Amino acid sequence: MSSSYTGNVEPGGAPAVRELPGLRITKLSVGPMDNNAYLLECLSNGDLLLIDAANEAPRLLELVGDRPLSTVVTTHQHMDHWVALEEVIAATGARALAHPDDAEGLPITTSPVVDGDRIPVGDCELEVIHLVGHTPGSIALLYRDPSGSPHLFTGDSLFPGGVGNTHDDPVAFASLIGDVEHKLFDALPDETWFYPGHGKDSTLGAERPSVPEWRARGW
């Protein structure tokens, strides 16, 4: 694992690259809302998967280069996470995946993925975790590194300091905090590193003590 990786990226700035034994993770900030896009590369065969073609298609395509991009996964239907989706798919021929509960909000037809599905990245795989509340079809993607700690891509469902925005809807908040507690914090160890849809990364261990406070405050 690259010891220099911090997960800090700036809009328009250079990507941050993390080297795991089998997987390379490249994080890039794109667009006016400082969205994170993540390019995952299997180190054994070069297979590429992009999480959230959020914006600035030319920069995302520059990251891909002349290599084949096999898959683009959209974590949820909010527009800031898919501005570049149509252009990236058209340029690469990659398959587009999203949860069916959010598919109607996307600009192109996507193939469905649901809770518990596995998405291959060459010899690696991502597990789909459905987290209802920020949107009906929000998903997180879990990579269980056989050589180390888990890595979790949370979209806008979990950030350092709290869960995603549920727009003052108590039902949506109850659903999201419940899913985040049970499917993430209860199921995964403290050393799980998570990568959100905006801003800095964190670990479940760093955030775990604050979860009761998040539930109590209601956001």
Side-chain angles (χ1 to χ4, degrees):
M1 183 181 298
S2 173
S3 60
S4 62
Y5 177 84
T6 63
N8 296 333
V9 290
E10 300 293 335
V17 180
R18 184 170 216 168
E19 297 272 358
L20 306 178
L23 189 72
R24 177 180 294 119
I25 301 168
T26 302
K27 177 181 181 179
L28 188 69
S29 172
V30 295
M33 296 184 69
D34 188 17
N35 284 75
N36 295 326
Y38 298 94
L39 184 67
L40 278 52
E41 179 182 358
C42 172
L43 296 182
S44 67
N45 69 2
D47 191 32
L48 296 175
L49 177 146
L50 179 66
I51 299 173
D52 284 346
N55 213 316
E56 297 186 73
R59 293 182 68 211
L60 297 177
L61 292 169
E62 183 181 6
L63 275 188
V64 173
D66 58 2
R67 302 171 295 170
L69 178 69
S70 63
T71 309
V72 180
V73 184
T74 301
T75 59
H76 63 289
Q77 66 183 206
H78 287 161
M79 184 177 179
D80 59 306
H81 291 262
W82 55 255
V83 171
L85 178 60
E86 190 169 11
E87 187 173 345
V88 168
I89 294 297
T92 63
R95 64 175 181 156
L97 304 180
H99 194 281
D101 289 349
D102 272 14
E104 286 189 6
L106 302 180
I108 62 172
T109 300
T110 56
S111 297
V113 288
V114 297
D115 196 62
D117 280 354
R118 303 294 200 274
I119 303 170
V121 190
D123 293 336
C124 306
E125 69 173 16
L126 303 175
E127 177 184 338
V128 176
I129 303 173
H130 187 198
L131 303 168
V132 180
H134 181 66
T135 65
S138 287
I139 56 173
L141 299 164
L142 174 64
Y143 172 58
R144 297 184 186 270
D145 184 359
S147 304
S149 59
H151 295 260
L152 180 67
F153 301 87
T154 57
D156 283 3
S157 291
L158 176 64
F159 296 96
V163 297
N165 189 349
T166 52
H167 306 284
D168 299 318
D169 180 341
V171 174
F173 173 76
S175 175
L176 181 55
I177 192 72
D179 277 358
V180 165
E181 280 193 277
H182 299 311
K183 293 185 174 183
L184 303 185
F185 284 97
D186 290 351
L188 297 168
D190 281 350
E191 61 267 24
T192 302
W193 189 282
F194 73 86
Y195 307 79
H198 305 263
K200 296 181 179 181
D201 307 347
S202 187
T203 65
L204 293 187
E207 307 301 321
R208 189 183 301 276
S210 301
V211 174
E213 175 191 340
W214 302 348
R215 180 178 280 281
R217 76 190 183 190
W219 56 274

